[in-house]
Amino acid sequence: MKVKNLPFCTFFYILISFSIFLEFSSAGDTINETQSLKDRQTLVSSGQSFELGFFSPGESKGRYLGIWYKNFPSTVVWVANKEKEITDSYGVLSFGTDGNLVVLNQSKGIIWSSSLSRIIENPVVQLLESGNLVLREKSVADPEGYIWQSFDFPCHTLLPGMKFGWNSKTRQDWYLTSWRSASNPSPGDFTWRIDTVGLPQAVLRKGSEKKFCAGPLDHTLAVIQQLKIYLSNLLWQLMKMNFTIFMSLLTIEL
């Protein structure tokens, strides 16, 4: 059987298409300590709801590691290096020698880190279907065993399952901060957080100026351990557990 030679233009087109496919390839939802995620590669959650990768917001040419809805890539829900952009397309997500999750630039400088003090054995990072990016040891699947998770470091978006509140024992503070602009995800002027001075209340501030309050939450918190509140079209679960007061978004009613 005689095989005809492909025209050069056809061969070139196939080669370019194959290269683009590789360049935008997905690595599933998990990477381990021997792997890394380069710019134009992504992780996709198991149910195809969320995607993790490098992006440039708005008119910015800077690159940031973020999570967005896979079907709505312009809707970014979390940013790692929000205060320090990468100025080229050579950013990499990988693991440090101590198991920390790090974002590196072209010269291998650390742009962002999960900043854990403990050494992690056999680390893996996984993008969950909830939109939560979790760092865990390979043998651990129980959420209680997560070493680090993006849900503990909200940016400007609250997703179902995230906490919004305060832990007085660990000093963990879950709150939202606006972007500086549509092209700049660094912290803006507005914050939305639980104010624990006196009776807890959710407070919207511009800088130090209080713009809006939801509350205060009255003494029933001491009696009722679980309370559901409808706030606009959001269904919240308000809880007081040990040293923690938080609100958790359960569902979005459309």
Side-chain angles (χ1 to χ4, degrees), residues 44-237:
V44 178
S45 62
S46 60
Q48 303 288 302
S49 292
F50 293 94
E51 190 166 21
L52 167 81
F54 291 91
F55 74 103
S56 294
E59 299 178 355
S60 172
K61 294 182 179 180
R63 303 292 284 172
Y64 299 87
L65 179 75
I67 298 171
W68 55 85
Y69 285 100
K70 189 172 190 317
N71 292 334
F72 304 93
S74 62
T75 305
V76 177
V77 299
W78 184 80
V79 183
N81 57 312
K82 57 186 178 182
E83 298 187 58
K84 191 174 183 181
E85 68 179 14
I86 300 173
T87 57
D88 53 44
S89 59
Y90 294 97
V92 176
L93 173 67
S94 63
F95 294 95
T97 55
D98 57 359
N100 261 297
L101 198 59
V102 294
V103 173
L104 307 175
N105 59 17
Q106 187 177 17
S107 60
K108 305 302 180 184
I110 297 177
I111 299 297
W112 172 88
S113 170
S114 53
S115 300
L116 298 169
S117 57
R118 59 172 288 189
I119 295 177
I120 307 166
E121 301 291 339
N122 302 314
V124 297
V125 62
Q126 182 179 16
L127 180 62
L128 304 182
E129 181 60 13
S130 62
N132 193 11
L133 184 69
V134 302
L135 176 61
R136 58 180 175 82
E137 293 184 350
K138 186 177 181 179
S139 60
V140 177
D142 186 346
E144 294 297 322
Y146 294 160
I147 301 168
W148 177 94
Q149 56 183 330
S150 61
F151 271 17
D152 278 340
F153 303 90
C155 292
H156 69 318
T157 302
L158 196 68
L159 294 173
M162 293 178 71
K163 294 177 181 178
F164 175 73
W166 170 256
N167 186 312
S168 61
K169 185 175 182 179
T170 64
R171 317 300 289 181
Q172 178 73 52
D173 193 5
W174 302 279
Y175 66 96
L176 303 183
T177 305
S178 65
W179 281 19
R180 179 64 57 185
S181 71
S183 300
N184 184 354
S186 64
D189 295 332
F190 289 90
T191 58
W192 174 246
R193 69 199 308 169
I194 297 292
D195 188 340
T196 57
V197 177
L199 291 174
Q201 55 184 328
V203 179
L204 176 68
R205 282 188 172 90
K206 181 180 182 182
S208 60
E209 182 184 0
K210 189 179 293 187
K211 290 291 187 180
F212 173 78
C213 294
L217 308 175
D218 63 27
H219 65 279
T220 56
L221 270 175
V223 180
I224 302 175
Q225 296 298 310
Q226 187 166 305
L227 175 66
K228 291 183 178 180
I229 298 176
Y230 284 90
L231 178 61
S232 184
N233 66 326
L234 303 179
L235 175 60
W236 298 76
Q237 178 172 276

